[in-house]
């Protein structure tokens, strides 16, 4: 079990550019979540998938943000036309399939991708 | 939306002291989770609580799920320098994403 991995760990981009982040969840976990964290705050929910289906999106997820999980394994989060306000840590988490003995609400986080928009 | 009030915001303690922090909510949660986050890293799960009144330990850490299901606390006994970091509580209202507190920043003075 290698845990949740995220790439890249750091991304610096210029305003107006598009960026894409990748998350690889724990292998047996079928739920995958994206959060955003700004300085001095706790993580804020953006969206989540169960397998390949995107089940919920936060109002924080503007139309410049899109997330995919095409094969129900890794996920990508793309931000188009980045703005300085998008600068944050983007966190991915995963949780196991809902069945006896496993709680779907126990989420395990990756190391995050730190985005800086200049 | 739902909010968690986490206190204190920060703590400065001497090595060896015990620490207590808590979270309260205006609504009921089915699950309480406590995470620790180091600078530049993602949150690491410390303790998960699933039943009202549940008391769970993980080494020097002890956490409890309040009987009203609207609060939880985390205690750290005999603090050591590596306990430094930001501790977050998170609640799951049901089959929905986690809601996080704003964190308690812990500093340990050797």
């Amino acid at each position: 079990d290698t845990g949740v991995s995220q790439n890249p760990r750091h991304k610096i981009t210029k305003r107006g550019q598009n960026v894409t982040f990748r998350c690889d969840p724990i292998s047996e976990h079928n739920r995958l979540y994206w959060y955003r964290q700004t300085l001095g705050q706790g993580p804020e929910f953006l969206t989540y998938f169960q397998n390949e289906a995107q089940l919920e999106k936060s109002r924080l997820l503007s139309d410049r943000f899109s997330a995919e999980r095409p094969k129900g394994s890794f996920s990508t989060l793309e931000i188009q036309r980045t703005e300085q306000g998008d600068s944050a840590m983007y966190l991915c988490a995963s949780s196991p399939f809902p069945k006896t003995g496993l709680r779907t609400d126990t989420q395990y986080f990756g190391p995050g991708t730190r985005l800086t928009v200049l | 939306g739902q909010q968690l009030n986490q206190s204190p915001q920060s703590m400065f303690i001497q090595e060896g002291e015990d620490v207590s922090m808590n979270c309260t909510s205006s609504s009921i949660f089915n699950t309480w989770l406590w995470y620790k986050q180091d600078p530049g890293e993602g949150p690491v799960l410390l303790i998960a609580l699933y039943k009202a009144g549940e008391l769970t330990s993980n080494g020097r850490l002890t956490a409890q799920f309040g009987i009203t299901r609207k609060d939880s606390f985390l205690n750290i006994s005999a603090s050591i320098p590596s306990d430094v970091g930001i501790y977050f509580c998170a609640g799951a209202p049901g089959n929905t994403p986690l809601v996080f507190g704003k964190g308690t920043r812990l500093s340990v003075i050797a």
Side-chain angles (χ1 to χ4, degrees), chain A residues 9 31 35 37 40-43 45 48 56 89 91 103-111, chain B residues 30-31 33 35 37 40-43 45 48 50 88 92 94-98 100-102:
Chain A
R9 293 292 312 275
R31 287 194 173 179
Y35 291 82
Q37 185 178 27
Q41 302 294 318
F45 168 73
Y48 91 95
E56 188 170 342
M89 173 80 92
L91 294 163
R103 295 289 299 237
T104 60
D105 46 16
T106 304
Q107 297 178 22
Y108 299 86
F109 282 81
Chain B
N30 291 335
T31 299
L33 306 171
Y35 291 87
Q37 187 173 28
E41 299 294 331
L45 182 65
Y50 302 120
F88 288 100
N95 194 25
T96 53
L98 295 176
F100 279 81
K102 292 190 175 183

Side-chain angles (χ1 to χ4, degrees), chain B residues 34-52:
Chain B
W34 284 92
Y35 291 87
K36 178 176 182 278
Q37 187 173 28
D38 292 328
E41 299 294 331
V44 173
L45 182 65
L46 299 174
I47 293 180
L49 302 160
Y50 302 120
K51 289 175 57 176

